[in-house]
Amino acid sequence: MAGFGFSEEQERLREEVKRFAQKELGPGALERSKMTPEELPTALEDIDKKIVDLGWTKINVPEKYGGYEFGHVDIGIIHEEVHKVDPTVEAVGGMEATSALLQTLDQDLQDEWFPKLISRERKHSFGFTESAAGSDAAGIVTKAVRDGDDYIINGEKTPLPGATVADAVSISVKTDPNAGFKGVSLFWVPTNLPGVDIKPLPWMGNAGLYPSFVTFDDVRIPARYREGEEGMGFYTVMGTLDWLRIIVALTCLARAQASLNDAMEWSKERKTFGKAIATNQGVSFPIAEHHTMIEAARMLCYRTLWLKDQGQSHTVESAMAKWFSVEVSVQAIKDMMVIIGHPGYSTEHMISTRLRDVLGYQLGDGPPQIQKMIIARLMIGKAVVG
Amino acid sequence: MNIIVCVKEIPDPETPASAFAVDEVSKKAIPAKDNPPVMNPFDENAVEGALKLKDALEAKVILLCMGASTAEKVLKHGLAMGADEAFVLTDSAFDGSDSTSTAYALSQAVKQIGEYDLILCGRQAGDFDAGQVGCGLAEMLGLPSVTPVQKIEIEDSKAKVERVIPDGYETVEIPLPAVMAVSNEIGEPRYATLKGIMAAGKKKITAWGPQDISAEASKIGAAGARTKMLKLFIPVRDAECEIIEGENEEEAAINLALKMREVKLI
């Protein structure tokens, strides 16, 4: 992002991604959005191969494995254009976060995992949430107890997106239950280890996230699978979520923009009492209002990604972008569904899928209340707000 | 080997009919706000054909385009796909070109580029569908040509080419250098990889005017055109539906036949 807008290169990236999304992801997107988490992986195999060929899985992974540096504004552009067309496909995903965590492990483990993750022969996911501890990342009860050269992990993670298709999950555990957030550590846990049990969760949307419930029952794992130092996991989790929240926000806005586009076309074609419904201000004004809100939220998201690319603090901006964008998206999609009417309420229209998806994103990566708490603490002061 | 691919920017064929407009005075299509001009799809196939050759043997792919200032975006797309360098002929003197004056300008540019072994272009452009430039270019350069082409194999200083015919294809051999007009059967154009997109930003596009290619003023643009566009307009299509009725199916059929005769459909 150069100045107040996108650079020529970024506009070109947007055009190229849009071209790919419309031609390759558009056909079949509605059908995939209705698939179960069990059906979806097979349907996405060819698309995954194409995404690998485009080099999207090499973003911000070590050069040794063919990776290259890529800005977060650019990553946002890819996600936005892909999710306008297809809400279920994983575009770039959390590869950067995966890469950062994998690089904390021994070289032989990196050599084993990086090539297969890049080719999508293997998948990796993150689990920091538990039944009794979501946004309170330090309140987890899953624990890892040292036993010689190993740790023994017991507990559960839910929802753990992606676990049903993941070959490894990075999870947060307590290695020192009495040390609060300083007792949180992270582990790279291969999902084929004895004691790991994964069950899909029946969510109403976001099939592409593969929501799962995962239990760890006396899972013995070598200490070298610990990501970083003991007790440093909380900081890593917080740092990782900061910018992934913005990607979540942008994917919601992409769904909202696509719904707005659908509603605009519909309002020009659909006639009542002899004229297009767009001639009614009751129809055209909500479109104008939501267009304004979506654009405002997009700017907030991209400015936050730009701040990250500049190496500047963006915690407040990230929290603002998350709650505001998702809220804007929910309201926009809901209102656009009303404009389209019953065809929009049908499962044969993508708009119903989009609405279910964004409702879920209100909860994922911290609900609005948590985002507002983060903002209030940083703006007013934690000592006052609590 | 050096492969020159001639590409043209055209109005985006995906432009919704409701957003498509023409300026009847200047006789030009007006690009829709959300649908900027794109590379002619058959020319994208030609770029793909060139890149396939580049994949198989050592080759340099050079793009050549005659167009407006927006042509640079189209060329950047080709560079992002994997082409190595690009030239654009852009000057108001080229305005109003038809197939003949386009072929002339391109032939002059090809001479200016100098070293080449193969010239590819799309079998026809998606805007006016004339399909004349490839053959014209070959004629002006004194080169053999094949059109439309679905597969190219290079062997020493000649090419084995599959040429599309109505019921299949025929294989022909042609000495190089040559001009070939490529058809969509050559394969879907590849998508630009992230590395390709990043690399395209650093690749230079050289802009040339008539003097740079030693073009005669009387042979370029409207001055060199052999055809004259009389009118450019969007045809108005009125669709009216009339239900032909009758007491029973037989009578309805008779009434339908009578009506069709009345409006001279039968």
Side-chain angles (χ1 to χ4, degrees), chain A residues 1 4-6 253 294-304:
Chain A
M1 204 173 210
F4 198 77
F6 298 101
L253 290 170
I294 290 169
E295 193 60 20
R298 280 182 78 234
M299 289 300 105
L300 186 53
C301 289
Y302 278 114
R303 180 170 178 274
T304 311

Side-chain angles (χ1 to χ4, degrees), chain B residues 138-153:
Chain B
E139 177 64 23
M140 289 171 188
L141 291 168
L143 298 176
S145 73
V146 190
T147 182
V149 164
Q150 67 171 19
K151 191 175 178 186
I152 307 164
E153 284 175 15

Side-chain angles (χ1 to χ4, degrees), chain B residues 8 10 40-43 122-132:
Chain B
K8 181 182 183 185
I10 64 164
N40 171 39
F42 285 120
D43 296 346
R123 62 182 290 174
Q124 66 207 70
D127 48 3
F128 291 103
D129 281 327
Q132 300 294 309

